Amino acid sequence: MAVRLTKNNLCKSRNKPYEVRGHNDARNKETSNKLTKDEEECVKQDAGSDDTVSYPCISARQPYAGLMLNGFKTIETRWTPMLKELSNQTVAIHIAQRTWEGDEWRDGLCQRGLSHMQIDCIVTEAENCARGSIAGLIDVGETWQCSADDSSDDGNKATEWEKDALLKPLEEKYLTRLTNPRWLKKPIKSRGQKGVWTVTIPAKNI
């Protein structure tokens, strides 16, 4: 079950700093440090304390995890509508140990006019954040399914979605709009899980 970010979600952590308690539960540079109003208030009131904030969390492989948190990937794709119930919420991004097999993302970035050197720099920067850790936060928007009609209509909406997802084909996949990506001040080592689970993040690390 997803946990909404409210003042009532704050609790005193008995764990060591940056240790995560999790259980099974349903950048660009201009936006990477943009916090939600609740997060700003939380950080302002609790900086220097051991208070924590709970977030639903999902895991993503590199380089997609880094591309999400750097603002290049603005649509997430899954085979199930697992993010639909998280609409209008903030989600933590966990970087998986495994690497995505395929280079559709590179083709997508090249289509946006980025050089191979620029792309390599983007990927290398993201790789500096340890795998197997919670690395950042992102806001979740609408979730919808890409149908065969979307791929065959005159405007070919799926083509535009592929550019934002840095992945193709998208037919039959569930797409979720992503906004306001931001990196944590320090990555939090954590074991990944399938689907959506809940993690707690120190307020001073947001």
Side-chain angles (χ1 to χ4, degrees), residues 7 10 35-47 203:
K7 293 181 181 178
L10 299 178
L35 305 181
T36 64
K37 183 181 295 185
D38 285 330
E39 288 170 350
E40 289 177 347
E41 185 174 349
C42 169
V43 172
K44 186 183 300 182
Q45 292 179 356
D46 300 299

mmCIF file of all heavy atoms in Angstrom, residues 7 10 35-47 203:
data_model
loop_
_atom_site.group_PDB
_atom_site.id
_atom_site.type_symbol
_atom_site.label_atom_id
_atom_site.label_comp_id
_atom_site.label_asym_id
_atom_site.label_seq_id
_atom_site.Cartn_x
_atom_site.Cartn_y
_atom_site.Cartn_z
ATOM 1 N N LYS A 7 2.813 15.079 7.392
ATOM 2 C CA LYS A 7 3.541 15.252 8.640
ATOM 3 C C LYS A 7 3.392 14.021 9.523
ATOM 4 O O LYS A 7 4.282 13.689 10.305
ATOM 5 C CB LYS A 7 3.028 16.488 9.381
ATOM 6 C CG LYS A 7 3.321 17.793 8.675
ATOM 7 C CD LYS A 7 2.806 18.965 9.479
ATOM 8 C CE LYS A 7 3.081 20.277 8.748
ATOM 9 N NZ LYS A 7 2.546 21.423 9.497
ATOM 10 N N LEU A 10 6.100 11.226 9.611
ATOM 11 C CA LEU A 10 7.392 11.404 10.238
ATOM 12 C C LEU A 10 7.454 10.612 11.526
ATOM 13 O O LEU A 10 6.539 10.610 12.327
ATOM 14 C CB LEU A 10 7.638 12.897 10.538
ATOM 15 C CG LEU A 10 7.654 13.796 9.311
ATOM 16 C CD1 LEU A 10 7.846 15.245 9.743
ATOM 17 C CD2 LEU A 10 8.760 13.394 8.373
ATOM 18 N N LEU A 35 12.083 20.576 -4.197
ATOM 19 C CA LEU A 35 11.353 19.754 -3.247
ATOM 20 C C LEU A 35 9.881 20.134 -3.254
ATOM 21 O O LEU A 35 9.501 21.238 -3.618
ATOM 22 C CB LEU A 35 11.913 19.941 -1.829
ATOM 23 C CG LEU A 35 13.410 19.700 -1.626
ATOM 24 C CD1 LEU A 35 13.767 19.918 -0.169
ATOM 25 C CD2 LEU A 35 13.798 18.309 -2.065
ATOM 26 N N THR A 36 9.042 19.193 -2.837
ATOM 27 C CA THR A 36 7.637 19.506 -2.675
ATOM 28 C C THR A 36 7.475 20.365 -1.431
ATOM 29 O O THR A 36 8.372 20.456 -0.591
ATOM 30 C CB THR A 36 6.801 18.226 -2.521
ATOM 31 O OG1 THR A 36 7.191 17.567 -1.313
ATOM 32 C CG2 THR A 36 7.015 17.286 -3.704
ATOM 33 N N LYS A 37 6.317 20.996 -1.276
ATOM 34 C CA LYS A 37 6.082 21.869 -0.121
ATOM 35 C C LYS A 37 6.227 21.103 1.190
ATOM 36 O O LYS A 37 6.834 21.589 2.146
ATOM 37 C CB LYS A 37 4.686 22.483 -0.217
ATOM 38 C CG LYS A 37 4.379 23.461 0.914
ATOM 39 C CD LYS A 37 2.968 24.019 0.797
ATOM 40 C CE LYS A 37 2.802 24.858 -0.457
ATOM 41 N NZ LYS A 37 1.467 25.502 -0.525
ATOM 42 N N ASP A 38 5.679 19.887 1.252
ATOM 43 C CA ASP A 38 5.782 19.098 2.474
ATOM 44 C C ASP A 38 7.226 18.741 2.792
ATOM 45 O O ASP A 38 7.648 18.741 3.943
ATOM 46 C CB ASP A 38 4.958 17.810 2.355
ATOM 47 C CG ASP A 38 3.464 18.081 2.483
ATOM 48 O OD1 ASP A 38 3.099 19.041 3.177
ATOM 49 O OD2 ASP A 38 2.679 17.336 1.884
ATOM 50 N N GLU A 39 8.008 18.440 1.749
ATOM 51 C CA GLU A 39 9.408 18.087 1.964
ATOM 52 C C GLU A 39 10.195 19.293 2.471
ATOM 53 O O GLU A 39 11.041 19.172 3.362
ATOM 54 C CB GLU A 39 10.022 17.574 0.665
ATOM 55 C CG GLU A 39 9.529 16.197 0.283
ATOM 56 C CD GLU A 39 9.951 15.806 -1.121
ATOM 57 O OE1 GLU A 39 10.463 16.664 -1.859
ATOM 58 O OE2 GLU A 39 9.749 14.643 -1.465
ATOM 59 N N GLU A 40 9.941 20.478 1.903
ATOM 60 C CA GLU A 40 10.639 21.678 2.358
ATOM 61 C C GLU A 40 10.366 21.942 3.831
ATOM 62 O O GLU A 40 11.274 22.281 4.596
ATOM 63 C CB GLU A 40 10.192 22.876 1.511
ATOM 64 C CG GLU A 40 10.708 22.844 0.089
ATOM 65 C CD GLU A 40 10.172 24.003 -0.733
ATOM 66 O OE1 GLU A 40 9.216 24.657 -0.253
ATOM 67 O OE2 GLU A 40 10.703 24.257 -1.823
ATOM 68 N N GLU A 41 9.099 21.804 4.224
ATOM 69 C CA GLU A 41 8.745 22.039 5.621
ATOM 70 C C GLU A 41 9.390 20.998 6.527
ATOM 71 O O GLU A 41 9.883 21.313 7.604
ATOM 72 C CB GLU A 41 7.224 21.991 5.785
ATOM 73 C CG GLU A 41 6.760 22.337 7.202
ATOM 74 C CD GLU A 41 5.250 22.432 7.284
ATOM 75 O OE1 GLU A 41 4.604 22.446 6.227
ATOM 76 O OE2 GLU A 41 4.735 22.486 8.412
ATOM 77 N N CYS A 42 9.403 19.744 6.032
ATOM 78 C CA CYS A 42 9.999 18.668 6.809
ATOM 79 C C CYS A 42 11.479 18.912 7.033
ATOM 80 O O CYS A 42 11.984 18.788 8.148
ATOM 81 C CB CYS A 42 9.809 17.331 6.070
ATOM 82 S SG CYS A 42 10.749 15.970 6.745
ATOM 83 N N VAL A 43 12.194 19.255 5.963
ATOM 84 C CA VAL A 43 13.636 19.494 6.072
ATOM 85 C C VAL A 43 13.920 20.695 6.963
ATOM 86 O O VAL A 43 14.841 20.703 7.768
ATOM 87 C CB VAL A 43 14.252 19.699 4.667
ATOM 88 C CG1 VAL A 43 15.702 20.131 4.799
ATOM 89 C CG2 VAL A 43 14.142 18.413 3.861
ATOM 90 N N LYS A 44 13.101 21.759 6.822
ATOM 91 C CA LYS A 44 13.299 22.968 7.613
ATOM 92 C C LYS A 44 13.134 22.688 9.107
ATOM 93 O O LYS A 44 13.908 23.155 9.939
ATOM 94 C CB LYS A 44 12.301 24.039 7.164
ATOM 95 C CG LYS A 44 12.525 25.393 7.819
ATOM 96 C CD LYS A 44 11.447 26.380 7.366
ATOM 97 C CE LYS A 44 11.471 26.574 5.872
ATOM 98 N NZ LYS A 44 10.459 27.572 5.437
ATOM 99 N N GLN A 45 12.140 21.891 9.452
ATOM 100 C CA GLN A 45 11.845 21.638 10.853
ATOM 101 C C GLN A 45 12.746 20.581 11.460
ATOM 102 O O GLN A 45 13.044 20.612 12.651
ATOM 103 C CB GLN A 45 10.380 21.186 10.999
ATOM 104 C CG GLN A 45 9.376 22.275 10.678
ATOM 105 C CD GLN A 45 7.949 21.770 10.803
ATOM 106 O OE1 GLN A 45 7.716 20.594 11.051
ATOM 107 N NE2 GLN A 45 6.993 22.664 10.627
ATOM 108 N N ASP A 46 13.222 19.638 10.621
ATOM 109 C CA ASP A 46 13.890 18.475 11.188
ATOM 110 C C ASP A 46 15.349 18.319 10.786
ATOM 111 O O ASP A 46 15.953 17.285 11.050
ATOM 112 C CB ASP A 46 13.133 17.206 10.783
ATOM 113 C CG ASP A 46 11.703 17.235 11.287
ATOM 114 O OD1 ASP A 46 11.515 17.303 12.506
ATOM 115 O OD2 ASP A 46 10.793 17.218 10.448
ATOM 116 N N ALA A 47 15.933 19.321 10.134
ATOM 117 C CA ALA A 47 17.337 19.229 9.758
ATOM 118 C C ALA A 47 18.186 18.990 11.000
ATOM 119 O O ALA A 47 18.045 19.637 12.018
ATOM 120 C CB ALA A 47 17.787 20.516 9.057
ATOM 121 N N ALA A 203 15.145 12.728 6.979
ATOM 122 C CA ALA A 203 14.721 14.020 6.463
ATOM 123 C C ALA A 203 15.915 14.877 6.054
ATOM 124 O O ALA A 203 15.857 15.626 5.066
ATOM 125 C CB ALA A 203 13.894 14.747 7.519
#
